[in-house]
Amino acid sequence: MSDPTTQPAPAPASPRAANRRAILNTLRGSSGNLVEWYDVYVYTVFVSYFENQFFDSADKNSTLYVYGIFAVTFLMRPVGSWFFGRFADRRGRRAALTFSVSLMAACSLLIALTPGRESIGVWAAVILLLCRLVQGFATGGEYGASATYMSEAATRERRGFFSSFQYVTLVGGHVLAQLTLLVMQLFLDREQIAEFGWRIAFLIGGVAAIVVFWLRRSMDESLSAEQLAAVRRGEDTGSGSLRELLTRYWRPLLTCFLVTIGGTIAFYTYSVNAPAIVKSTYADEGMTATWINLVSLTFLMVIQPIGGLVSDRVGRKPLLVFFGVGAVIYTYVLLTFLPQTTSVAASLTLVCVGYVILTGYTSINAIVKAELFPSHIRALGVGLGYALANSAFGGTAPLIYQAAKDGGYVTVFIVYVTAVVAASLLVYVFVLKNKTETALDREQGRAFV
């Protein structure tokens, strides 16, 4: 097939019109991303409250079981990234994003309504596992399609800024989950949250996703009409093809994977394990831990566009190198001193410094990966590269940390995280180029017609 990215791109009508369209489509796309990632993180935020609804409280391994379910769902992400990546490259980004958020809504509603183990026994845990597997499948598709859409929807001069909103809303989902817990703690005691409050949290995610379903149906499509028509007529057989990806684009796929492994393990270590450590430290101090986590995650959310803007000025590579060097040094500091810290200000500072370092990756990771692939294979390439790395190194981080902590091997976990980040750092330094023309540059203006 002919590569559409080799054809000249027409200029947009005007910079003002292009910016206005980019803003509107970013808002529509990011609203769905926000709700979908709320559905992902409401699990980790409320896990200590609903754990006993699905597993026997007398079983000392019950905490490992619930984190095990969180980790296992990441095995479905590569499957979801393949399915939705192919779907998005052949049927359009809008259709794929609408489908994925529908699956998330259905599963959140089902979890909220599932009876506890006292009523249906082991089937409660089975239903929870199945729902989370489907949500992992949907999340695998959400990342690739949304990263691709936001990168394609952005204007050339502000791609870093606009695409950073993927992680604004990804972290925003975590912030909303923390905020939901905080509001409940103001009106309910721990027993009431454990009895029914956590169900309300999942119900909110399900209902909000239904609303977003309608918002996403009004988004512009970022694939050109000609490309979609060629797929429908059977003239384009390469779009969304796994064979095409593995034979012609295996190098950018490998680069995408290696770029991601360090970022994803750091992200889950800093944004899931660190808040869990804070929860444990301030377990007997009311809402202190919730406030620390809410403020720090809000800080992480609001600094993402700053990272995106900086990358538009200096390029993507310097930010990734900043992240890699910082995380190699700081992971030891965070995981060693945060559990020993009982000062609110010190705990907040330790976490927020980690989030500044993390922003070097999170704010630009979507655009860095999208720039590696041409449009006809982009959603599949970005999604699969991310999902494979995320499944192997990201989603397993909370489980591995918990096991290392229980066994007294936290130092081994620190070495593991540091080594994975160091591997990515080598790719940032020696493989990636800075401020060179990409497939997105050649395609500018071909979408939204």
Side-chain angles (χ1 to χ4, degrees):
M1 60 159 285
S2 62
D3 189 340
T5 64
T6 62
Q7 302 174 23
S14 71
R16 179 175 294 181
N19 280 324
R20 184 166 57 248
R21 175 171 279 177
I23 291 169
L24 289 174
N25 284 308
T26 298
L27 289 174
R28 290 166 182 159
S30 61
S31 63
N33 209 40
L34 176 69
V35 172
E36 193 147 349
W37 286 100
Y38 168 87
D39 286 335
V40 171
Y41 284 112
V42 74
Y43 184 95
T44 58
V45 170
F46 283 86
V47 66
S48 61
Y49 295 95
F50 67 74
E51 175 183 327
N52 294 337
Q53 292 282 342
F54 296 94
F55 296 98
D56 189 352
S57 58
D59 189 337
K60 64 179 183 180
N61 293 319
S62 61
T63 300
L64 276 179
Y65 294 154
V66 290
Y67 276 110
I69 288 178
F70 179 77
V72 167
T73 60
F74 282 74
L75 297 177
M76 291 299 294
R77 291 200 180 186
V79 181
S81 68
W82 165 77
F83 176 86
F84 282 100
R86 178 177 173 80
F87 193 94
D89 285 332
R90 296 185 66 81
R91 306 243 185 129
R93 320 309 190 199
R94 180 176 58 196
L97 289 168
T98 302
F99 187 13
S100 68
V101 79
S102 301
L103 286 179
M104 292 295 289
C107 290
S108 287
L109 290 172
L110 184 55
I111 291 173
L113 300 175
T114 297
R117 61 178 298 276
E118 292 184 358
S119 300
I120 59 174
V122 70
W123 288 107
V126 171
I127 292 172
L128 176 65
L129 174 61
L130 291 175
C131 285
R132 291 296 294 177
L133 286 173
V134 174
Q135 288 188 319
F137 173 77
T139 305
E142 171 70 21
Y143 178 90
S146 66
T148 296
Y149 183 81
M150 290 189 183
S151 299
E152 292 171 343
T155 59
R156 180 172 184 169
E157 296 76 15
R158 289 289 179 266
R159 284 205 192 109
F161 173 74
F162 282 116
S163 64
S164 73
F165 280 85
Q166 191 203 28
Y167 257 78
V168 169
T169 50
L170 190 154
V171 178
H174 202 167
V175 170
L176 282 182
Q178 290 283 354
L179 183 60
T180 301
L181 175 59
L182 179 63
V183 171
M184 288 190 183
Q185 288 176 329
L186 291 173
F187 298 100
L188 304 173
D189 57 33
R190 181 175 180 84
E191 289 71 26
Q192 290 173 317
I193 297 175
E195 182 182 355
F196 63 86
W198 67 271
R199 295 184 184 276
I200 296 174
F202 277 97
L203 190 64
I204 289 170
V207 173
I210 294 173
V211 174
V212 168
F213 170 85
W214 296 104
L215 289 176
R216 280 191 162 173
R217 292 185 67 188
S218 66
M219 294 190 313
D220 289 332
E221 176 53 56
S222 64
L223 277 182
S224 68
E226 293 84 356
Q227 196 167 335
L228 291 172
V231 171
R232 286 194 299 269
R233 292 193 300 264
E235 298 170 0
D236 179 353
T237 59
S239 290
S241 165
L242 186 60
R243 181 176 180 177
E244 173 96 349
L245 178 66
L246 296 179
T247 55
R248 293 188 60 191
Y249 299 100
W250 64 269
R251 286 186 180 86
L253 177 64
L254 178 61
T255 301
C256 180
F257 175 83
L258 294 174
V259 164
T260 305
I261 59 174
T264 190
I265 198 170
F267 179 76
Y268 282 96
T269 298
Y270 289 22
S271 71
V272 175
N273 289 337
I277 292 171
V278 171
K279 271 187 181 180
S280 177
T281 301
Y282 298 95
D284 299 324
E285 298 187 30
M287 295 185 294
T288 301
T290 304
W291 274 112
I292 293 173
N293 289 334
L294 180 61
V295 171
S296 60
L297 285 168
T298 301
F299 173 73
L300 174 61
M301 179 180 67
V302 299
I303 63 176
Q304 297 308 297
I306 298 175
L309 282 172
V310 171
S311 79
D312 286 329
R313 290 292 186 93
V314 304
R316 326 295 182 205
K317 182 173 181 174
L319 268 74
L320 288 174
V321 173
F322 163 76
F323 155 71
V325 172
V328 163
I329 296 170
Y330 194 71
T331 299
Y332 169 80
V333 176
L334 181 67
L335 295 183
T336 300
F337 293 102
L338 187 60
Q340 304 171 12
T341 303
T342 55
S343 162
V344 171
S347 296
L348 185 61
T349 300
L350 280 169
V351 175
C352 285
V353 170
Y355 287 167
V356 170
I357 294 170
L358 191 61
T359 296
Y361 167 80
T362 54
S363 63
I364 60 170
N365 84 99
I367 187 64
V368 167
K369 296 164 195 172
E371 288 176 336
L372 293 172
F373 302 94
S375 63
H376 75 285
I377 205 74
R378 183 172 295 132
L380 179 60
V382 171
L384 191 60
Y386 164 82
L388 290 171
N390 204 234
S391 299
F393 296 98
T396 56
L399 177 63
I400 295 174
Y401 175 78
Q402 185 66 41
K405 178 183 174 184
D406 292 346
Y409 298 106
V410 173
T411 301
V412 176
F413 179 78
I414 293 172
V415 172
Y416 164 62
V417 173
T418 303
V420 175
V421 174
S424 281
L425 177 58
L426 294 175
V427 177
Y428 305 154
V429 173
F430 296 108
V431 176
L432 297 183
K433 294 182 173 65
N434 200 43
K435 302 189 89 170
T436 57
E437 187 181 59
T438 69
L440 280 170
D441 295 322
R442 294 187 292 272
E443 296 162 5
Q444 187 72 41
R446 294 184 57 80
F448 306 110
V449 294

